[in-house]
Amino acid sequence: MKKLDLSKTVIISDFDGTLTKKIINWKFVPSLISILREEGVLDKDYSKRAKALFEKYHPIEKDPNISDEDKFKAMERWWKEHYELLKEKGLELQHIKKAVEHPNIQFKEGVKELFEIVLQKRIPLIIFSSSWLGDVSIKMTIERFKLPFDDSVIKIISNKLLFDENWKFVGVEKIIHAMNKRLVDVLKWNEEIQKLIEWKDSYFLMGDSLNDIKMAEWMSFENGIKIWFFMEDKGYQNIRQIWEKNYDIIIPQEENSITKVLEILNE
Ligand SMILES: [Mg+2]
């Protein structure tokens, strides 16, 4: 196992399914947005149309045989179409709050300790998410579980939802979708992140989907450890082999825990 100098390391982590649990009571819990879709927070027509979008685009997102270029275009369309739908259906801040408070939203074991460690050792933690519900939903989840937080160390990069004076959703500042969720792109417009990682030469990446590895793509880090939270996918028998090649450590989602990550950080 490579050894990272933590004083020069930045942690880059996905949110849904990486920091949050993906399996609760032996059932698959996809993500915050799926609660809007599955639990009737908005109307039935929303659920139907959001599901149709999911069924159209999700197979493209997870197919290892589709080119990055085609995936990029498809993801851009999916995010735009879904945001249009959310606007049409009158998404409000209180709907997001409902999703965040759902019992199926839970952090994995060890996430609170991770926050404590990064704050204590001042290791930058970048939480990177392409969630439609954006940074506001992540902040609310962190507040719900009372995790220690300091935005000079922990940064959330996700879609910035815009609301009107009645907290009705009106649009999004800049769309981060599954394929442009890359630090190299964020550095072009985010000076805070530039400063935060200026002197860092290694990264520690955590993700649970095929595209999460892109978060550190094209960056000039010398060292890195990539962790993948793995789940079988019946559609792709060879997926484990493909990703074992790309990731250094594989943790089964069933463990619902990031304690292995803490062990590495505490070594
Ligand atoms: Mg994820």
Side-chain angles (χ1 to χ4, degrees), residues 14-18 22 181 207-209 212:
D14 166 58
F15 185 72
D16 275 310
T18 295
K22 206 157 184 169
K181 192 175 139 185
D208 80 309
S209 97
D212 283 337

Side-chain angles (χ1 to χ4, degrees), residues 1 108-111 113-114 117 204 206 225 227-230 240 248-267:
M1 172 61 89
K108 286 179 181 167
E109 192 188 324
V111 172
E113 288 79 358
L114 173 71
I117 291 170
F204 193 91
M206 296 192 273
I225 294 179
I227 297 194
W228 183 37
F229 293 93
F230 167 78
R240 185 176 181 130
D248 302 296
I249 298 169
I250 289 186
I251 302 175
Q253 283 288 20
E254 287 80 0
E255 289 186 12
N256 268 336
S257 165
I258 64 157
T259 44
K260 274 191 194 138
V261 173
L262 304 180
E263 282 165 23
I264 298 168
L265 292 177
N266 281 324
E267 255 168 27

Side-chain angles (χ1 to χ4, degrees), residues 56-68 70-71 75 179 209-211 233 235-236 238-239 242-243:
K56 178 176 171 188
Y57 290 114
H58 187 58
I60 303 175
E61 180 187 3
K62 63 173 193 168
D63 190 339
N65 305 311
I66 291 178
S67 76
D68 277 3
D70 289 343
K71 268 192 193 185
M75 295 306 107
M179 290 296 287
S209 97
L210 211 59
N211 304 312
D233 188 331
Y236 302 99
N238 59 346
I239 200 144
I242 294 175
W243 291 96

Side-chain angles (χ1 to χ4, degrees), residues 124-141:
L125 166 62
I126 298 175
I127 300 172
F128 215 160
S129 170
S130 56
S131 170
W132 280 275
L133 300 185
D135 60 352
V136 64
S137 66
I138 296 172
K139 281 179 197 149
M140 280 175 169
T141 311

